[in-house]
Amino acid sequence: MTPLPAPLRWLHSLEWRRGFFDWARSDGVTWVYIFKVLIAAFLTLWLAMRLELPQPRTAMITVFIVMQPQSGQVFAKSFYRFLGTLAGSAVMVLLIALFAQNTELFLGALAIWVGICTAGATRNRNFRAYGFVLAGYTAAMVGLPALAHPEGAFMAAVWRVLEISLGILCSTLVSAAFLPQTSSAAMRNALYQRFGVFALFVTDGLRGRSQREGFEASNVRFIAEAVGLEGLRSVTVFEDPHMRRRNGRLSRLNSEFMSITTRFNALHQLLERLRTDEADHVVAAIKPGLQDLAEVLDGFSGRALTSPDAARLANQLSAYKDGLPAKVRSLRATFQEGEPTEAEQLDFHTAYELLYRFVDDLHNYALTHASLADHRHAREDWDEPYTPKTNWLACAASGIRASFILVVLGSYWVATAWPSGATMTLIAAATVGLSAATPNPKRMAFQMACGTLIGALVGFVEMFFVFPWIDGFPLLCTMLAPVIIFGAFLASRPQYAGVGVGLLIFFSTGSVPDNLTIYNPYTFINDYIAMVIGMLVCAAAGAIILPPNSRWLWRRLEQDLREQVVYAISGKLKGLASSFESRTRDLLHQAYGLAVGQPQVQRDLLRWMFVVLEVGHAIIELRKEQAILPVHPAYAQSQPWRQAIRVMGRSLVRLFLQPSASNLERGLVAVDHAISRVQATDEPFAPHFDTSALRRVKSYLHFIRTSLLDPQSPLAALKGATQGATHAP
């Protein structure tokens, strides 16, 4: 057989195919997105000019703002942009009607409105924040030019809504029709891959192979994935009816994933404390049950978990869970032959109680994951939604900053009567809104100013040396395409996203011709100077006026983290576990992002999260146990052990609100007292962890105590004054 020539052999080889598919999954996705931006932008501009809309550039800018790599993201962002535009236009018409004859009052009312919307953008998540941004700067972008001709304000609002609607329509059409990248596919892939990574994380922890740095890094990843999947879930409902029918199960799955990570972290932390304390005989007594679970999870580690795999996992976990009580009794009988101390018995019982709860939650997660294969399922009924938590001071700071910027720039415009002062003010309103939802508004505003400066230089050349010589829409597109491609490429790179956004939006604002093009270099230069000044003022304000990445906010977010323990103690019990989990992780996710470049701050925040989750989760379990206790004198509200638990709750509130050596000592004494009261109480049931409520209560109390004494927790620095505290008898 004649061998193939070298070029044909290369074409038939697998190397170039692997390389091509690797490129297609990374840079290829970016270039598909860039060309979709080009198609949607030019289609929108052509239609806007054919329909003779007053400002075709507004429709084109809408494309740059709402266009995203995934079609579900485009649908969601378009939806909130439309709502925000309607709200902003309505407020603008109202303000013009009230203050058309008084520019100062109009600017004051506008500054208040933009401040409220900016605070709302900081408070909300995902694309809902963008709706608040639009509601703020739409009022400025339509209202400020309309001040000179207030009788045309209503029609200006109508035209803007129409122009934005055209941009939204074209963006969603192109995103869905040309090589669509769906959010639902991304979510399925994330769900399938996430469990394999977690299973490997669990098996390493159960076998004692995990390192502290890797353990913390994995938890940061799981937190980011939980927050990110909540964002994806909120997007997929716009895109895929099949995912919309499973919305309750997806929400439940994310909540259950947060629960199993907390359960395993609690178990892992207890095992690490035992290994640190060299309690080898206790660890050896616990090890057989851990090894059996690790062997169950080995078959699912490091691989995607499909719905059939989840059903198989659920069956294996069910069998393991059914046999666990008998195994624990057998292991305990062997363990007690060595005459362990009361403290060592508490460690043994607490470890297996945590293990049982972890397996139970893991089984529920597997059942929910397996149910995604069904069109309808009973597990869809879920009324414990993800609950975000944002510090109100951070929101207020964003609103105050935005209002201050508009007051200062508006006052300068009124005082100097600069013709481009209105442009400076409205661009500042847009910039402060767009940067409010980012972790570093100063950096975002400065990058947008750099992108706008590039757009000004390129736009001057095109406006006065290129556009007068071209004729027809195809040539216009040819001249605009390089700028759009470059801007979209920069916008797709996180480190240069602000430059790309500034170039795309503000090049279009100042340099894309309208139906009636006016060549006025004086106005052109003044407007671009006004844009750059407005953005630089926003950057300066972000660095000076209550900057969100400063120490004061880290401290506030750390305090908010600690206050989640207070929430676990005093919050309404229904839905408390899910709300506690999501609020705590959401706070940590925000704080971790704001503390980029400060590894020690990030480490301290993460360790606060661990102790808060451990103590808070144990308290919620205690409250649940007490809520379902049978009617019996041993469980009455007046029993000393229940009174001791209430006293312990008050001491923990003081500790986490004001961490100090004295409050830590009081907390430990209160926990010790509660444990002793539980031990002194007789109950009419067998003393096994699956039949004895008081044994479970004692395990949770013991775990709270070990969490407070964890040498890795931030409370460790307070323990100097507590060395004399004795262990629970």
Side-chain angles (χ1 to χ4, degrees), residues 214-233:
F215 176 78
E216 293 180 352
S218 295
N219 271 282
V220 171
R221 172 180 177 174
F222 295 143
I223 290 166
E225 287 179 346
V227 176
L229 275 171
E230 175 59 22
L232 268 178
R233 185 193 62 78

Side-chain angles (χ1 to χ4, degrees), residues 523-578:
T523 302
F524 180 93
I525 294 172
N526 266 276
D527 284 349
Y528 267 112
I529 290 174
M531 291 182 199
V532 174
I533 290 175
M535 293 175 191
L536 291 177
V537 170
C538 291
I544 298 171
I545 305 173
L546 301 175
N549 58 343
S550 57
R551 184 173 296 275
W552 73 271
L553 187 54
W554 301 338
R555 297 303 181 195
R556 288 297 307 179
L557 289 172
E558 180 187 296
Q559 182 177 337
D560 286 349
L561 267 176
R562 297 198 306 268
E563 287 177 358
Q564 294 311 298
V565 174
V566 182
Y567 178 65
I569 292 171
S570 59
K572 184 180 178 182
L573 193 56
K574 179 177 172 55
L576 180 61
S578 178

Side-chain angles (χ1 to χ4, degrees), residues 241-259:
H242 298 285
M243 300 300 277
R244 190 157 54 245
R245 284 186 174 274
R246 293 160 175 78
N247 188 46
R249 277 171 279 174
L250 293 172
S251 178
R252 180 176 192 151
L253 199 64
N254 208 25
S255 177
E256 289 173 343
F257 182 78
M258 290 187 288
S259 180

Side-chain angles (χ1 to χ4, degrees), residues 114-134 136 390 395 398-399 432-438:
V114 171
I116 292 171
C117 291
T118 304
T122 306
R123 169 66 181 83
N124 285 273
R125 294 288 181 275
N126 306 319
F127 296 127
R128 286 191 295 273
Y130 185 64
F132 281 91
V133 171
L134 258 294
T390 307
C395 301
S398 295
V432 75
L434 290 170
S435 61
T438 63

Side-chain angles (χ1 to χ4, degrees), residues 327-336 348-349 687-688 695:
K327 187 175 186 68
V328 171
R329 289 166 193 158
S330 172
L331 291 172
R332 185 176 63 207
T334 304
F335 179 57
Q336 288 179 336
F348 178 88
H349 293 143
H688 305 307
R695 167 152 287 175

